[in-house]
Each structure stands twice: as C-alpha cells, then as structure tokens.
C-alpha cells in the first residue's frame, strides 16, 4: 500500500487555544501507514488527546495540515462516512457506555447514521462482541460488567464501524495490571485478525513496547515529536536486553535528554 501514501498524516501541525499566544502542539508531523500499530507515548498533560482530537477533525489546527483516512485510502480531509463504515473510530480511557442500554445496544449505537437496518446493526454488533470475547454478555447491562469488560465493549463499539484507523486514548489506563495485560494480548490478536491501522495513546513505556510496531514520543511544551522508534519482533520480549535498551532510549526521549542510542543495555538500561 506504500504506493497510495500514508493512510493519515499531520504536517507541521500547531494548536493554540488562545489565538497563538501559547501553543499546546507545535511543528507536529506524523504519517500513519496502513496496517501499522503506532504508540503515541508522552507524559500526562503533554497534548496526546489534543493530537487525537486534531487527527479526528474535532479540533481545527491553528497551523499546518491534517489529512484523515478515507475508505479508499485516497485521503481527503477527515474522511467520510459513506459505505456503511467510518474512516476512523475512537476508544476512550473510560468506556463511556450508556447505562440505560444493554451491551449489544451500546455497541450497535456506534453505527447510527450509517444507513444500516436494525437487523444489520445487530448482526454487526454481535460480530464485534464476538471479536472481543463478549458475545455472551450482549443482553447484560453495563453496570453489571467489570472494568475490563466495559473497555472490551468500548473496543467492540469502535470495531463495529469497521474503521480504517482505530484511535485509542489510553484505553487500558484505569485497569489493574492483570486485566490490562490480558486486554493488551486481546488487542494484539484483534489487530492481527483485522489488519486495522492503530494509533494507541499511552504514557506507559512497557505498554508501548509490547504493543506497537512503531513508537512516537510526544514531549515538551509546546509539545512536539521528540523521538521515534521502529520496532522489530526481537525488541518485544520483556526483560530482554533489547527491550531494556529501548525502554532506556524512550525514557530519554520523554525527558528531552540526548538519545543514548544503541548503546549496550548495561550502559543505558538502569536509569
Ligand atoms: N480547551 C482547552 N483550552 C485550553 N487548554 C486546553 C484545552 N484542552 C486542553 N488544554 C490543555 O492542553 C494540554 C494538553 O492536554 P491533553 O488533554 O491533550 O493532554 P494529554 O497528553 O492527553 O494528558 P493525559 O495523559 O493526562 O490525558 C493540557 O495542558 C491542557 O490543560
Ligand atoms: Mg489525554
């Protein structure tokens, strides 16, 4: 797909809420290629959610260009919603389910406006629930679900519109470590099964290393991209020398320190 260019891109994007006196984002350029799993890593408050909002077309950039995905990958601004799909879908940190709707109807709700029949919406919602392992919970109420199950419903609701780009804003941040780890495994399985392009926001270095094929670091004020790592399979084994070396490099990038580079892990891992 490299012939078609990136699926979505930001070019020299800047964002200010006060008419240019102070900037939250500045000079941010990022290409997202089809099938990639990109982690956007940065400290709390740096501007990660702001960047997602800009990419989704919910916030207009003060500077620069934003090109969102479209169904055919051709790239017109902010995509479209014809074709019974959406160009992109967002998973929030808290699942944001409607307590008065069953799990199935919460998931089906994501498809409003796509011109689908009630039956088609139901079938697609069930298929998405199957993908996250929650088919049996279709008729349950959100308040009867665990935190991890609620997040799975949030993921299903996003998948149900078959988006080209799946944006995830710290979706597992509020979960306990064991649940979090199993949802990470599930997400990787879903990514491999569906070939979605994913942009996953996190402030957790280990989560980024475990999940992503590429990590982009956002830091500073105004925030910019201060580092980037392309990962191979060998770097993903926790406790391996390569994993520890990459973790050290990412910590340096977040702190705005010089990149320790590919130095052997014993020189750089114990920061
Ligand atoms: N509407 C707004 N007006 C002014 N400032 C805003 C507005 N929205 C966000 N900000 C500021 O922009 C900065 C970035 O916020 P953002 O929510 O993007 O950070 P974040 O990296 O997602 O943080 P977290 O990890 O805590 O979710 C923060 O300093 C925030 O106070
Ligand atoms: Mg945020």
């Amino acid at each position: 797909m490299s012939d078609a260019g990136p699926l979505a891109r930001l070019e020299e994007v800047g964002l200010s809420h006060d008419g240019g006196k102070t900037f939250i984002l500045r000079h941010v350029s990022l290409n997202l290629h089809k099938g990639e799993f990109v982690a956007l890593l940065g400290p709390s408050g740096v501007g990660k959610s702001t960047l997602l909002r800009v990419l989704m077309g919910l916030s207009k950039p003060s500077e620069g260009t934003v090109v969102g995905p479209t169904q055919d990958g051709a790239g017109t601004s902010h995509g479209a919603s014809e074709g019974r799909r959406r160009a992109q879908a967002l998973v929030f940190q808290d699942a944001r389910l409607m307590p008065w709707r069953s799990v199935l109807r919460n998931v089906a709700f994501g498809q409003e406006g796509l011109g689908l029949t009630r039956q088609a919406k139901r079938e697609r919602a069930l298929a998405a629930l199957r993908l996250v392992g929650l088919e049996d919970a279709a008729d349950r109420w959100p308040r009867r679900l665990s935190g991890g199950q609620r997040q799975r419903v949030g993921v299903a609701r996003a998948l149900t519109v078959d988006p080209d780009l799946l944006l995830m804003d710290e979706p597992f941040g509020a979960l306990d470590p064991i649940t979090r780890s199993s949802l990470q495994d599930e997400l990787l399985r879903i990514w491999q099964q569906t070939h979605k392009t994913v942009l996953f926001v996190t402030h957790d270095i280990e989560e980024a290393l475990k999940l992503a094929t590429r990590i982009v670091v956002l830091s500073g004020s105004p925030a910019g991209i201060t580092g980037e790592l392309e990962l191979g399979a060998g770097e993903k084994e926790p406790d391996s020398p390569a994993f520890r070396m990459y973790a050290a490099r990412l910590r340096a990038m977040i702190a705005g320190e010089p990149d320790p580079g590919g130095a052997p892990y014993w020189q750089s891992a114990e920061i």
Side-chain angles (χ1 to χ4, degrees), residues 45 47-50 93 169-170 201:
K48 303 182 298 296
S49 299
T50 303
Q93 176 160 0
D169 195 354
E170 308 202 44
V201 165

Side-chain angles (χ1 to χ4, degrees), residues 28 37 43 71 83 121 188 204 264:
V28 174
F37 194 128
Q71 275 75 37
K121 278 193 276 193
L188 281 176
D204 183 325

Side-chain angles (χ1 to χ4, degrees), residues 165-183:
L165 179 59
L166 184 60
L167 301 161
M168 308 185 83
D169 195 354
E170 308 202 44
F172 310 144
L175 303 175
D176 66 85
I178 293 172
T179 311
R180 184 174 197 172
S181 174
S182 76
L183 260 76

